[in-house]
Amino acid sequence: MDFSISKQEEAFRQELRTWLEENLPEGWLQGNRELPEDKADYAVFLRKWQNTLYEGGWGAISWPKEYGGREATLMEEIIFYQEMVRVQAPPLINYIGIHMVGPTLIQSGTDEQKEKFINKIITGEEVWCQGYSEPNAGSDLAAIQTSAEKKGDQWLINGQKVWTSFGHLADKCFLLARTSTHPEKKHRGITAFLLDMNQSGVETKPITQMDGQQEFNEVYLTDAVAYDADIVGELDKGWRVMIALMLHERTGIGAELFTLEKRFDDMVAAIKDYQINGRPVMDDPSVRQKLASFYARFRGSLLNYYRNLTSTLKNGHPGPESSIDKLAVSELTKEMAGFMMSLQGHRGMLWKEDAPIDPVWQDEYLFSFGQTIGGGTSEVQRNTIGERVLGLPKDMGR
């Protein structure tokens, strides 16, 4: 691909920068980036930011214009990600809706579903979560046991989901349920439903993580109700829809490479200022060698991401190559955070204001383990890359 920036693309960047200067929350550009600690206030703050993006025409720039997007070019999308990372913009509360559910409905939803849900996704009026993982079905998603049984004109859904991001904030859930049994092929007989979270049959319990945050949830379903109109794709053929959604998810995760680029710059800056026993850490040749290794791997991953985006544009949809982006982001994030923790030695156990350097590395280190699991484990990504990108034989263990 051509990496040069045209005058039109530079104008796009300036338009976005001007808009950000005028529309980011008050004090944000000056460094006041504290998000509300109260959960209700947090949700209100981020819903407002989602709507601000939409009203400015930045809610989902890669979507078709008829759905509120800009039909942004590849370079415009890259510029958008770069600028959002540059100003450390507030996170997207509707990340799953914007990057996964919306594109999947545009690709596979009925006209009624598009009319009913798409606009509320991009405006932030309805926040979405994803009901995939279960206590005994994570990497082996075909083992899901949550069932949907037809009673009259209703589907009654029973079971349990776990590790559901945004579940405690969500209005809707993109949910997989077993609608029939095909013992010869576990991935058959699964259907994708668009489930209303605000009903008596849905109970959400936040999970406290080792960093003290509550970003994941258990979701219990007891005769939760859905209808035929809430089915995405065909009955019993939700596996295909699930694959399409996860490819969109991994493409979105790949965009986090731009965040990783900034984290690398932050890491270099922190190491330049950090001393142990009066000696600058940067004087250690092994530290400089490690930084060079991180940089080479990060740049290689970024270039591969550009190549995958180019392929997506040509094919009209993401391919299995997006697993490479997901694997690179999650593993590099974990290694970089682990390296920063190791530099601090036993003082790396100190928290917040007691930490010897920016405590964000402690947070990132603890969270990084989950990144190699969520959205498909690193082992699953390696299998996908081996089988569907490199054409290797199937995993002997399956």
Side-chain angles (χ1 to χ4, degrees), residues 33-34 40 43 57 66 91 94 136 138 146 158 162 171 184 189-190 195 225 239 298-299 329 332 334 389 397:
R33 302 189 180 101
E34 292 291 327
E66 63 181 298
N94 214 12
N136 296 308
T146 293
N158 289 278
V162 72
D171 305 289
E184 74 284 8
I190 293 173
L195 184 75
V225 174
W239 191 259
F298 151 70
R299 287 297 299 175
V329 167
L332 264 175
K334 185 179 176 183
V389 179

Side-chain angles (χ1 to χ4, degrees), residues 10-47:
E10 187 56 36
F12 175 87
R13 186 190 298 277
Q14 291 305 318
E15 178 189 356
L16 176 55
R17 286 190 173 185
T18 300
W19 184 86
L20 286 169
E21 290 173 0
E22 295 174 351
N23 291 279
L24 277 168
E26 186 176 355
W28 196 268
L29 283 175
Q30 290 72 43
N32 181 19
R33 302 189 180 101
E34 292 291 327
L35 296 172
E37 292 188 7
D38 180 81
K39 289 182 180 178
D41 293 341
Y42 175 87
V44 169
F45 181 92
L46 292 187
R47 282 178 189 262

Side-chain angles (χ1 to χ4, degrees), residues 260 262-276 281-282 287-288 290-291 294 332-350 355-366 368:
L260 196 62
K262 186 176 188 312
R263 298 305 294 145
F264 177 80
D265 293 340
D266 292 342
M267 180 168 65
V268 172
I271 290 176
K272 282 181 177 178
D273 292 336
Y274 188 46
Q275 297 187 0
I276 297 178
V281 173
M282 190 61 90
V287 171
R288 297 199 299 274
K290 195 67 176 178
L291 291 177
F294 282 139
L332 264 175
T333 298
K334 185 179 176 183
E335 288 188 43
M336 287 168 55
F339 177 65
M340 290 301 286
M341 291 295 289
S342 69
L343 283 182
Q344 299 173 64
H346 64 279
R347 295 196 296 171
M349 297 178 66
L350 299 176
I357 57 179
D358 189 342
V360 71
W361 291 106
Q362 272 78 337
D363 288 324
E364 192 150 310
Y365 178 69
L366 295 176
S368 66

